[in-house]
Amino acid sequence: FGGSYQLMFACVAFVTLYFIYAAIIRSSSDWVISIYLYLCFCLYFQSFNQIRQMAAVAISLYALTWLQKDNIKKFVLWTMIATGFHMSVAVLLLILPIRKWKISLRNVVMYVLAGIMIYFAFPVLLGLFSNISYIRIYQESSYAAAASKTTILNLIVRIAMCGCCFLILRKNSVIASSNLSLFNSVVLCTLFQVCAVRFSIFGRVTTYFFVAYILLIPKVLQVFQRKFVRENRRVVRVAFILVCFVYQMVYYFSSAGASGGGYEIYKLLDL
């Protein structure tokens, strides 16, 4: 970049937003809601700070659109390209064995049991993966903190989000069958959040799966709106938008969110 940090930031920002928009255009059933979710989840604000990882997150979301079409080669290809920005994105490949699992009560029970097992057996799991550089680097840092208020609250929110998606989608076989990879991605997000409660650095890894909500929630919202008469569907949409706005404000002004991270000092032009 010729020594220009402005040019470097501009290029990484372009890559990040390009792949976010490309994924939304390819797969979202409601572009406006998807972009709104990207903002409300504060992922845009995170891209100001965690520039490499958020570029990898954007490419991983694009990779998921290929997995939706069951194109494994292109999913793996784009995931590997994303590792050029941040190696941790390779964890996204864990979705492959379970990408077609049905949205059923039986599978949800299995996920719940897996979450309980992960929580209590976490020291054993951490020992197995202790030689991975990503774990070794942060094992003796503040990121190794366990059961912090932020990680527990995030776990509660993500369980609620995943549970709502399950309850709405399981009764609609057409929607469910075409979006299994997205649903199973957000389930993995929840399971990794259980790991984050025991070792907070895993919170960053959850983002690769959490971003699937940008494509999944618009479909869930459409299914939910069909339960109401046409006159009330707009009310449901407005209520959803307000709930997302509240979520953004709570996150933005929290000590662990955008405000606590100093994101408010960023500006478009340095004048």
Side-chain angles (χ1 to χ4, degrees):
F1 295 103
S4 171
Y5 70 87
Q6 293 100 331
L7 181 58
M8 182 273 290
F9 281 126
C11 290
V12 175
F14 174 80
V15 168
T16 302
L17 291 180
Y18 174 84
F19 282 102
I20 288 293
Y21 292 148
I24 289 172
I25 290 170
R26 278 180 56 84
S27 182
S28 176
S29 58
D30 190 325
W31 295 2
V32 173
I33 290 295
S34 288
I35 294 173
Y36 183 66
L37 289 170
Y38 180 63
L39 294 171
C40 288
F41 290 159
C42 291
L43 296 172
Y44 175 66
F45 301 124
Q46 288 183 35
S47 70
F48 292 179
N49 191 327
Q50 303 166 22
I51 59 171
R52 288 190 305 115
Q53 186 165 18
M54 294 313 295
V57 166
I59 299 173
S60 71
L61 180 62
Y62 181 74
L64 282 173
T65 66
W66 290 106
L67 192 62
Q68 282 185 276
K69 299 179 182 297
D70 208 30
N71 192 324
I72 306 302
K73 290 183 179 179
K74 288 194 174 181
F75 168 73
V76 173
L77 172 64
W78 283 106
T79 302
M80 291 298 98
I81 290 174
T83 62
F85 284 89
H86 210 282
M87 283 296 296
S88 62
V89 74
V91 73
L92 189 65
L93 297 175
L94 291 176
I95 189 63
L96 285 174
I98 64 170
R99 69 187 186 280
K100 293 185 178 181
W101 281 22
K102 302 294 183 181
I103 300 177
S104 65
L105 183 61
R106 173 180 173 275
N107 286 338
V108 168
V109 170
M110 290 177 61
Y111 281 135
V112 171
L113 293 177
I116 295 172
M117 183 183 71
I118 288 171
Y119 182 83
F120 289 104
F122 186 78
V124 177
L125 296 174
L126 188 62
L128 293 175
F129 297 103
S130 60
N131 289 326
I132 298 177
S133 60
Y134 196 73
I135 301 296
R136 190 171 61 250
I137 290 170
Y138 293 106
Q139 200 161 9
E140 302 300 327
S141 71
S142 59
Y143 288 106
S148 67
K149 179 181 178 180
T150 301
T151 56
I152 293 174
L153 287 175
N154 265 335
L155 177 60
I156 293 172
V157 169
R158 291 176 179 186
I159 288 174
M161 291 174 65
C162 190
C164 289
C165 290
F166 166 74
L167 292 174
I168 295 171
L169 290 180
R170 67 175 299 212
K171 295 182 179 180
N172 190 293
S173 59
V174 176
I175 296 295
S177 63
S178 63
N179 293 283
L180 293 177
S181 58
L182 293 179
F183 179 76
N184 288 311
S185 292
V186 301
V187 171
L188 282 183
C189 168
T190 309
L191 293 178
F192 270 103
Q193 188 61 41
V194 174
C195 295
V197 171
R198 300 300 301 269
F199 192 155
S200 62
I201 192 57
F202 278 90
R204 286 194 173 189
V205 177
T206 65
T207 311
Y208 298 119
F209 302 99
F210 180 75
V211 75
Y213 277 119
I214 291 176
L215 304 178
L216 180 64
I217 287 179
K219 302 176 190 300
V220 174
L221 181 60
Q222 286 183 349
V223 173
F224 186 66
Q225 285 181 294
R226 293 191 195 118
K227 298 178 182 295
F228 299 86
V229 297
R230 187 177 298 275
E231 292 75 16
N232 292 336
R233 291 177 185 176
R234 184 174 297 179
V235 176
V236 172
R237 186 179 179 88
V238 171
F240 171 79
I241 289 171
L242 291 176
V243 168
C244 290
F245 179 76
V246 171
Y247 177 96
Q248 179 191 9
M249 290 298 99
V250 170
Y251 176 85
Y252 189 91
F253 291 107
S254 71
S255 59
S259 181
Y263 295 2
E264 75 275 10
I265 69 173
Y266 300 128
K267 49 190 175 182
L268 180 61
L269 299 174
D270 189 13
L271 300 176

